[in-house]
């Protein structure tokens, strides 16, 4: 349902509480109304998520980075989705990451390591699907390494680091969605792997400009803020509980 309906309902509860002089309830429901409205507005979603996405930026001169491999992290795939090459396709976030990795390969002629497994029973084997997409985009088979076991960002880093050490790669470019790059970099750092962050799949504009329409409640804005809250919670859990 449109989130604006709930903003109106919360406001109605607040108004009713004030009329009945239930001031404690009015303060509570008014606070809930304000917070929920802010979380549903595009302006604040762009501010919050944008600040997260711009914490790391792609290197301006990637050719001079000294990188020797590209790591691209998975973001979801479906097993029974029709695709150009048959059954099994990447979801939009994963597809954007793979496209960026393929373009970087074309620019730098570096091998690509794709990391990501079958997260759920009905998920696709993400790394394998990603490898097929890379081949269809012109990346040679011998330039592709597959890490198909990881189910989390932590495992992405652990299993990818093992391959890097085994193959003697020392300076990887890390490709993942901009909202995810901070947590990914920290996970690789825990494996003593210094990566070159290359965020992609941006969900917010580079500069947020005020517009009255961006104050209207919107489900898309609420989802952006859910992603922002979720990533901060996962960072908190990782840093304080080591998982």
């Amino acid at each position: 349902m449109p989130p604006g309906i709930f903003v109106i309902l919360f406001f109605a509860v607040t108004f009713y509480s004030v009329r009945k002089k239930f001031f404690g309830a009015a303060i509570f429901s008014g606070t809930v109304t304000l917070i929920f409205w802010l979380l549903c507005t595009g302006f604040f979603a762009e501010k919050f998520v944008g600040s997260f996405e711009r914490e790391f930026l792609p290197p301006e001169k990637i050719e001079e980075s000294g990188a020797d491999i590209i790591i691209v992290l998975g973001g979801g795939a479906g097993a029974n989705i029709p695709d150009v090459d048959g059954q099994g396709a990447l979801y939009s976030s994963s597809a954007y990451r793979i496209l960026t990795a393929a373009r970087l390969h074309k620019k730098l002629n570096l091998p690509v390591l794709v990391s990501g497994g079958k997260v759920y029973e009905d998920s696709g084997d993400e790394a394998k699907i990603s490898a097929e997409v890379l081949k269809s985009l012109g990346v040679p088979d011998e330039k592709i390494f597959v890490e198909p076991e990881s189910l989390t960002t932590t495992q992405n880093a652990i299993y990818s680091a093992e391959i890097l050490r085994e193959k003697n790669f020392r300076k990887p470019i890390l490709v993942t969605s901009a909202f995810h790059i901070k947590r990914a970099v920290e996970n690789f750092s825990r494996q003593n792997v210094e990566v070159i962050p290359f965020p992609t799949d941006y969900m917010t504009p580079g500069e947020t400009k005020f517009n009255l329409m961006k104050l209207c409640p919107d489900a898309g804005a609420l989802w952006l803020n859910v992603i922002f809250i979720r990533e901060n919670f996962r960072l908190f859990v990782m840093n304080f509980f080591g998982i």
Side-chain angles (χ1 to χ4, degrees):
M1 295 176 67
I5 292 175
F6 297 99
V7 174
I8 294 171
L9 287 174
F10 291 153
F11 178 78
V13 170
T14 303
F15 182 75
Y16 176 81
S17 299
V18 171
R19 287 287 301 272
K20 294 295 183 178
K21 297 184 179 180
F22 301 149
F23 296 116
I27 292 171
F28 176 77
S29 61
T31 302
V32 170
T33 303
L34 178 63
I35 292 173
F36 186 71
W37 169 66
L38 291 177
L39 289 176
C40 292
T41 59
F43 180 76
F44 287 96
E46 290 178 6
K47 284 287 186 183
F48 295 152
V49 179
S51 66
F52 215 63
E53 289 188 326
R54 265 73 191 177
E55 226 171 300
F56 291 91
L57 295 174
E60 290 185 4
K61 297 181 180 180
I62 192 67
E63 302 90 340
E64 301 175 7
S65 65
D68 54 7
I69 191 170
I70 302 160
I71 302 175
V72 55
L73 305 186
N80 300 311
I81 300 175
D83 187 61
V84 174
D85 298 318
Q87 291 289 108
L90 300 174
Y91 295 145
S92 57
S93 183
S94 294
Y96 211 115
R97 300 176 192 184
I98 286 295
L99 176 61
T100 300
R103 293 174 66 194
L104 283 171
H105 164 78
K106 184 177 180 181
K107 190 180 189 73
L108 306 173
N109 195 31
L110 294 178
V112 181
L113 167 61
V114 288
S115 175
K118 187 179 175 70
V119 180
Y120 304 110
E121 187 176 343
D122 57 351
S123 298
D125 291 310
E126 188 165 359
K128 296 177 182 178
I129 295 172
S130 297
E132 292 302 317
V133 174
L134 284 173
K135 291 176 193 175
S136 71
L137 292 173
V139 181
D141 189 41
E142 64 272 13
K143 289 275 191 177
I144 301 173
F145 296 92
V146 176
E147 185 286 290
E149 302 298 329
S150 58
L151 306 180
T152 64
T153 304
T154 300
Q155 291 180 356
N156 284 146
I158 293 171
Y159 300 151
S160 295
E162 291 175 358
I163 294 174
L164 295 178
R165 288 190 285 268
E166 179 187 338
K167 301 297 182 181
N168 202 31
F169 292 113
R170 301 185 181 278
K171 201 165 186 182
I173 297 171
L174 180 63
V175 176
T176 188
S177 297
F179 76 86
H180 181 235
I181 193 75
K182 181 177 181 178
R183 186 158 56 92
V185 168
E186 289 197 24
N187 271 285
F188 274 88
S189 179
R190 286 170 176 242
Q191 302 304 314
N192 297 315
V193 177
E194 184 181 349
V195 299
I196 302 167
F198 203 101
T200 188
D201 183 35
Y202 287 87
M203 296 184 292
T204 62
E207 181 182 356
T208 301
K209 295 188 179 295
F210 180 78
N211 186 305
L212 280 176
M213 291 302 295
K214 290 185 178 182
L215 296 181
C216 295
D218 178 77
L222 179 59
W223 174 240
L224 284 180
N225 278 317
V226 167
I227 292 173
F228 174 74
I229 294 169
R230 185 180 64 191
E231 279 300 305
N232 277 289
F233 178 73
R234 287 174 172 172
L235 280 167
F236 172 81
V237 171
M238 183 181 72
N239 288 325
F240 283 87
F241 297 97
I243 56 176

